PDB file of all heavy atoms in Angstrom:
ATOM      1  N   LEU A   1       6.588  -0.848  -3.117  1.00 92.00           N
ATOM      2  CA  LEU A   1       6.008  -2.083  -2.590  1.00 92.00           C
ATOM      3  C   LEU A   1       6.243  -2.192  -1.090  1.00 92.00           C
ATOM      4  O   LEU A   1       5.332  -2.530  -0.328  1.00 92.00           O
ATOM      5  CB  LEU A   1       6.598  -3.285  -3.325  1.00 92.00           C
ATOM      6  CG  LEU A   1       5.979  -4.642  -3.075  1.00 92.00           C
ATOM      7  CD1 LEU A   1       4.499  -4.646  -3.439  1.00 92.00           C
ATOM      8  CD2 LEU A   1       6.715  -5.701  -3.881  1.00 92.00           C
ATOM      9  N   ALA A   2       7.436  -1.875  -0.650  1.00 89.00           N
ATOM     10  CA  ALA A   2       7.747  -1.925   0.783  1.00 89.00           C
ATOM     11  C   ALA A   2       6.893  -0.938   1.565  1.00 89.00           C
ATOM     12  O   ALA A   2       6.544  -1.184   2.730  1.00 89.00           O
ATOM     13  CB  ALA A   2       9.223  -1.637   1.007  1.00 89.00           C
ATOM     14  N   GLY A   3       6.515   0.151   0.928  1.00 91.00           N
ATOM     15  CA  GLY A   3       5.658   1.143   1.583  1.00 91.00           C
ATOM     16  C   GLY A   3       4.314   0.582   2.013  1.00 91.00           C
ATOM     17  O   GLY A   3       3.707   1.065   2.967  1.00 91.00           O
ATOM     18  N   ILE A   4       3.872  -0.449   1.333  1.00 90.00           N
ATOM     19  CA  ILE A   4       2.607  -1.092   1.711  1.00 90.00           C
ATOM     20  C   ILE A   4       2.738  -1.714   3.089  1.00 90.00           C
ATOM     21  O   ILE A   4       1.892  -1.526   3.954  1.00 90.00           O
ATOM     22  CB  ILE A   4       2.205  -2.159   0.671  1.00 90.00           C
ATOM     23  CG1 ILE A   4       1.955  -1.501  -0.690  1.00 90.00           C
ATOM     24  CG2 ILE A   4       0.986  -2.948   1.151  1.00 90.00           C
ATOM     25  CD1 ILE A   4       1.847  -2.487  -1.847  1.00 90.00           C
ATOM     26  N   TRP A   5       3.840  -2.433   3.312  1.00 85.00           N
ATOM     27  CA  TRP A   5       4.019  -3.157   4.563  1.00 85.00           C
ATOM     28  C   TRP A   5       4.576  -2.293   5.687  1.00 85.00           C
ATOM     29  O   TRP A   5       4.541  -2.701   6.836  1.00 85.00           O
ATOM     30  CB  TRP A   5       4.908  -4.381   4.348  1.00 85.00           C
ATOM     31  CG  TRP A   5       4.183  -5.413   3.551  1.00 85.00           C
ATOM     32  CD1 TRP A   5       3.207  -6.235   4.014  1.00 85.00           C
ATOM     33  CD2 TRP A   5       4.336  -5.711   2.180  1.00 85.00           C
ATOM     34  NE1 TRP A   5       2.751  -7.038   2.988  1.00 85.00           N
ATOM     35  CE2 TRP A   5       3.429  -6.737   1.856  1.00 85.00           C
ATOM     36  CE3 TRP A   5       5.168  -5.218   1.171  1.00 85.00           C
ATOM     37  CZ2 TRP A   5       3.323  -7.275   0.585  1.00 85.00           C
ATOM     38  CZ3 TRP A   5       5.062  -5.756  -0.101  1.00 85.00           C
ATOM     39  CH2 TRP A   5       4.138  -6.776  -0.379  1.00 85.00           C
ATOM     40  N   THR A   6       5.083  -1.122   5.359  1.00 88.00           N
ATOM     41  CA  THR A   6       5.614  -0.259   6.413  1.00 88.00           C
ATOM     42  C   THR A   6       4.648   0.861   6.772  1.00 88.00           C
ATOM     43  O   THR A   6       4.983   1.731   7.570  1.00 88.00           O
ATOM     44  CB  THR A   6       6.983   0.335   6.007  1.00 88.00           C
ATOM     45  OG1 THR A   6       6.847   1.062   4.791  1.00 88.00           O
ATOM     46  CG2 THR A   6       8.018  -0.767   5.862  1.00 88.00           C
ATOM     47  N   SER A   7       3.472   0.839   6.196  1.00 90.00           N
ATOM     48  CA  SER A   7       2.446   1.822   6.552  1.00 90.00           C
ATOM     49  C   SER A   7       2.092   1.690   8.022  1.00 90.00           C
ATOM     50  O   SER A   7       2.169   0.607   8.600  1.00 90.00           O
ATOM     51  CB  SER A   7       1.189   1.599   5.705  1.00 90.00           C
ATOM     52  OG  SER A   7       1.468   1.784   4.349  1.00 90.00           O
ATOM     53  N   LEU A   8       1.702   2.785   8.623  1.00 88.00           N
ATOM     54  CA  LEU A   8       1.394   2.783  10.049  1.00 88.00           C
ATOM     55  C   LEU A   8       0.025   2.194  10.366  1.00 88.00           C
ATOM     56  O   LEU A   8      -0.186   1.670  11.455  1.00 88.00           O
ATOM     57  CB  LEU A   8       1.497   4.195  10.622  1.00 88.00           C
ATOM     58  CG  LEU A   8       2.897   4.800  10.597  1.00 88.00           C
ATOM     59  CD1 LEU A   8       2.860   6.219  11.149  1.00 88.00           C
ATOM     60  CD2 LEU A   8       3.875   3.937  11.383  1.00 88.00           C
ATOM     61  N   THR A   9      -0.902   2.288   9.424  1.00 90.00           N
ATOM     62  CA  THR A   9      -2.252   1.797   9.676  1.00 90.00           C
ATOM     63  C   THR A   9      -2.713   0.891   8.536  1.00 90.00           C
ATOM     64  O   THR A   9      -2.177   0.958   7.418  1.00 90.00           O
ATOM     65  CB  THR A   9      -3.265   2.955   9.794  1.00 90.00           C
ATOM     66  OG1 THR A   9      -3.363   3.610   8.520  1.00 90.00           O
ATOM     67  CG2 THR A   9      -2.856   3.942  10.874  1.00 90.00           C
ATOM     68  N   LEU A  10      -3.711   0.096   8.812  1.00 91.00           N
ATOM     69  CA  LEU A  10      -4.295  -0.769   7.797  1.00 91.00           C
ATOM     70  C   LEU A  10      -4.885   0.064   6.662  1.00 91.00           C
ATOM     71  O   LEU A  10      -4.723  -0.273   5.492  1.00 91.00           O
ATOM     72  CB  LEU A  10      -5.372  -1.668   8.424  1.00 91.00           C
ATOM     73  CG  LEU A  10      -6.150  -2.561   7.466  1.00 91.00           C
ATOM     74  CD1 LEU A  10      -5.216  -3.500   6.715  1.00 91.00           C
ATOM     75  CD2 LEU A  10      -7.208  -3.345   8.225  1.00 91.00           C
ATOM     76  N   GLU A  11      -5.544   1.146   6.994  1.00 93.00           N
ATOM     77  CA  GLU A  11      -6.148   1.998   5.969  1.00 93.00           C
ATOM     78  C   GLU A  11      -5.087   2.576   5.039  1.00 93.00           C
ATOM     79  O   GLU A  11      -5.260   2.600   3.823  1.00 93.00           O
ATOM     80  CB  GLU A  11      -6.955   3.132   6.620  1.00 93.00           C
ATOM     81  CG  GLU A  11      -8.171   2.664   7.384  1.00 93.00           C
ATOM     82  CD  GLU A  11      -7.840   2.008   8.727  1.00 93.00           C
ATOM     83  OE1 GLU A  11      -6.771   2.306   9.319  1.00 93.00           O
ATOM     84  OE2 GLU A  11      -8.644   1.176   9.184  1.00 93.00           O
ATOM     85  N   GLU A  12      -3.970   3.021   5.613  1.00 94.00           N
ATOM     86  CA  GLU A  12      -2.873   3.547   4.806  1.00 94.00           C
ATOM     87  C   GLU A  12      -2.290   2.444   3.917  1.00 94.00           C
ATOM     88  O   GLU A  12      -1.986   2.669   2.747  1.00 94.00           O
ATOM     89  CB  GLU A  12      -1.792   4.129   5.708  1.00 94.00           C
ATOM     90  CG  GLU A  12      -0.640   4.763   4.962  1.00 94.00           C
ATOM     91  CD  GLU A  12       0.444   5.279   5.880  1.00 94.00           C
ATOM     92  OE1 GLU A  12       0.150   5.664   7.029  1.00 94.00           O
ATOM     93  OE2 GLU A  12       1.604   5.287   5.443  1.00 94.00           O
ATOM     94  N   ALA A  13      -2.150   1.245   4.459  1.00 92.00           N
ATOM     95  CA  ALA A  13      -1.625   0.123   3.692  1.00 92.00           C
ATOM     96  C   ALA A  13      -2.550  -0.216   2.523  1.00 92.00           C
ATOM     97  O   ALA A  13      -2.081  -0.473   1.405  1.00 92.00           O
ATOM     98  CB  ALA A  13      -1.436  -1.091   4.598  1.00 92.00           C
ATOM     99  N   ARG A  14      -3.840  -0.208   2.774  1.00 94.00           N
ATOM    100  CA  ARG A  14      -4.799  -0.487   1.693  1.00 94.00           C
ATOM    101  C   ARG A  14      -4.723   0.576   0.608  1.00 94.00           C
ATOM    102  O   ARG A  14      -4.817   0.267  -0.585  1.00 94.00           O
ATOM    103  CB  ARG A  14      -6.217  -0.569   2.255  1.00 94.00           C
ATOM    104  CG  ARG A  14      -6.481  -1.849   2.998  1.00 94.00           C
ATOM    105  CD  ARG A  14      -7.910  -1.914   3.487  1.00 94.00           C
ATOM    106  NE  ARG A  14      -8.150  -3.191   4.131  1.00 94.00           N
ATOM    107  CZ  ARG A  14      -9.050  -3.375   5.078  1.00 94.00           C
ATOM    108  NH1 ARG A  14      -9.802  -2.363   5.502  1.00 94.00           N
ATOM    109  NH2 ARG A  14      -9.219  -4.572   5.617  1.00 94.00           N
ATOM    110  N   THR A  15      -4.554   1.827   1.016  1.00 96.00           N
ATOM    111  CA  THR A  15      -4.417   2.921   0.053  1.00 96.00           C
ATOM    112  C   THR A  15      -3.146   2.736  -0.775  1.00 96.00           C
ATOM    113  O   THR A  15      -3.162   2.895  -1.999  1.00 96.00           O
ATOM    114  CB  THR A  15      -4.401   4.280   0.781  1.00 96.00           C
ATOM    115  OG1 THR A  15      -5.626   4.437   1.492  1.00 96.00           O
ATOM    116  CG2 THR A  15      -4.218   5.435  -0.184  1.00 96.00           C
ATOM    117  N   GLN A  16      -2.056   2.397  -0.117  1.00 95.00           N
ATOM    118  CA  GLN A  16      -0.783   2.156  -0.813  1.00 95.00           C
ATOM    119  C   GLN A  16      -0.912   0.981  -1.785  1.00 95.00           C
ATOM    120  O   GLN A  16      -0.408   1.033  -2.907  1.00 95.00           O
ATOM    121  CB  GLN A  16       0.330   1.859   0.204  1.00 95.00           C
ATOM    122  CG  GLN A  16       0.687   3.006   1.092  1.00 95.00           C
ATOM    123  CD  GLN A  16       1.674   3.960   0.429  1.00 95.00           C
ATOM    124  OE1 GLN A  16       2.264   3.659  -0.599  1.00 95.00           O
ATOM    125  NE2 GLN A  16       1.836   5.114   1.024  1.00 95.00           N
ATOM    126  N   LEU A  17      -1.569  -0.073  -1.340  1.00 95.00           N
ATOM    127  CA  LEU A  17      -1.761  -1.259  -2.180  1.00 95.00           C
ATOM    128  C   LEU A  17      -2.592  -0.916  -3.414  1.00 95.00           C
ATOM    129  O   LEU A  17      -2.245  -1.296  -4.537  1.00 95.00           O
ATOM    130  CB  LEU A  17      -2.424  -2.377  -1.379  1.00 95.00           C
ATOM    131  CG  LEU A  17      -2.731  -3.678  -2.113  1.00 95.00           C
ATOM    132  CD1 LEU A  17      -1.456  -4.300  -2.677  1.00 95.00           C
ATOM    133  CD2 LEU A  17      -3.431  -4.655  -1.175  1.00 95.00           C
ATOM    134  N   ALA A  18      -3.669  -0.184  -3.225  1.00 96.00           N
ATOM    135  CA  ALA A  18      -4.519   0.201  -4.355  1.00 96.00           C
ATOM    136  C   ALA A  18      -3.750   1.089  -5.334  1.00 96.00           C
ATOM    137  O   ALA A  18      -3.868   0.922  -6.557  1.00 96.00           O
ATOM    138  CB  ALA A  18      -5.764   0.918  -3.842  1.00 96.00           C
ATOM    139  N   ALA A  19      -2.960   2.008  -4.817  1.00 96.00           N
ATOM    140  CA  ALA A  19      -2.168   2.893  -5.676  1.00 96.00           C
ATOM    141  C   ALA A  19      -1.130   2.086  -6.457  1.00 96.00           C
ATOM    142  O   ALA A  19      -0.922   2.319  -7.658  1.00 96.00           O
ATOM    143  CB  ALA A  19      -1.493   3.970  -4.837  1.00 96.00           C
ATOM    144  N   PHE A  20      -0.496   1.148  -5.802  1.00 96.00           N
ATOM    145  CA  PHE A  20       0.502   0.306  -6.442  1.00 96.00           C
ATOM    146  C   PHE A  20      -0.138  -0.496  -7.571  1.00 96.00           C
ATOM    147  O   PHE A  20       0.378  -0.543  -8.691  1.00 96.00           O
ATOM    148  CB  PHE A  20       1.143  -0.623  -5.413  1.00 96.00           C
ATOM    149  CG  PHE A  20       2.274  -1.432  -5.960  1.00 96.00           C
ATOM    150  CD1 PHE A  20       3.570  -0.952  -5.938  1.00 96.00           C
ATOM    151  CD2 PHE A  20       2.045  -2.687  -6.502  1.00 96.00           C
ATOM    152  CE1 PHE A  20       4.618  -1.696  -6.458  1.00 96.00           C
ATOM    153  CE2 PHE A  20       3.088  -3.447  -7.018  1.00 96.00           C
ATOM    154  CZ  PHE A  20       4.379  -2.947  -6.999  1.00 96.00           C
ATOM    155  N   LYS A  21      -1.264  -1.118  -7.283  1.00 95.00           N
ATOM    156  CA  LYS A  21      -1.946  -1.921  -8.300  1.00 95.00           C
ATOM    157  C   LYS A  21      -2.382  -1.053  -9.478  1.00 95.00           C
ATOM    158  O   LYS A  21      -2.238  -1.449 -10.631  1.00 95.00           O
ATOM    159  CB  LYS A  21      -3.142  -2.653  -7.696  1.00 95.00           C
ATOM    160  CG  LYS A  21      -2.721  -3.743  -6.745  1.00 95.00           C
ATOM    161  CD  LYS A  21      -3.828  -4.631  -6.237  1.00 95.00           C
ATOM    162  CE  LYS A  21      -5.139  -4.012  -5.961  1.00 95.00           C
ATOM    163  NZ  LYS A  21      -6.109  -4.918  -5.326  1.00 95.00           N
ATOM    164  N   GLY A  22      -2.906   0.125  -9.181  1.00 96.00           N
ATOM    165  CA  GLY A  22      -3.336   1.024 -10.244  1.00 96.00           C
ATOM    166  C   GLY A  22      -2.190   1.489 -11.123  1.00 96.00           C
ATOM    167  O   GLY A  22      -2.317   1.567 -12.348  1.00 96.00           O
ATOM    168  N   LYS A  23      -1.067   1.764 -10.517  1.00 96.00           N
ATOM    169  CA  LYS A  23       0.091   2.277 -11.254  1.00 96.00           C
ATOM    170  C   LYS A  23       0.733   1.222 -12.151  1.00 96.00           C
ATOM    171  O   LYS A  23       1.148   1.516 -13.262  1.00 96.00           O
ATOM    172  CB  LYS A  23       1.119   2.816 -10.266  1.00 96.00           C
ATOM    173  CG  LYS A  23       2.339   3.415 -10.928  1.00 96.00           C
ATOM    174  CD  LYS A  23       3.262   4.038  -9.906  1.00 96.00           C
ATOM    175  CE  LYS A  23       4.480   4.663 -10.578  1.00 96.00           C
ATOM    176  NZ  LYS A  23       5.354   5.328  -9.593  1.00 96.00           N
ATOM    177  N   TYR A  24       0.794  -0.019 -11.673  1.00 95.00           N
ATOM    178  CA  TYR A  24       1.565  -1.042 -12.385  1.00 95.00           C
ATOM    179  C   TYR A  24       0.730  -2.126 -13.062  1.00 95.00           C
ATOM    180  O   TYR A  24       1.291  -3.020 -13.687  1.00 95.00           O
ATOM    181  CB  TYR A  24       2.570  -1.690 -11.427  1.00 95.00           C
ATOM    182  CG  TYR A  24       3.624  -0.721 -10.972  1.00 95.00           C
ATOM    183  CD1 TYR A  24       3.642  -0.251  -9.660  1.00 95.00           C
ATOM    184  CD2 TYR A  24       4.599  -0.264 -11.852  1.00 95.00           C
ATOM    185  CE1 TYR A  24       4.613   0.652  -9.247  1.00 95.00           C
ATOM    186  CE2 TYR A  24       5.569   0.637 -11.438  1.00 95.00           C
ATOM    187  CZ  TYR A  24       5.573   1.099 -10.140  1.00 95.00           C
ATOM    188  OH  TYR A  24       6.524   1.990  -9.737  1.00 95.00           O
TER     189      TYR A  24
END
């Protein structure tokens, strides 16, 4: 979850968020 907010770019954060939602 913290990886979403510590991503370097918005695109990376969106990718992390989508992966998190898909996984859980």
Side-chain angles (χ1 to χ4, degrees):
L1 189 59
I4 297 168
W5 290 284
T6 58
S7 298
L8 295 178
T9 66
L10 176 59
E11 294 75 25
E12 183 182 331
R14 285 182 177 153
T15 300
Q16 294 277 348
L17 178 59
F20 186 89
K21 291 187 323 187
K23 182 175 181 177
Y24 294 109

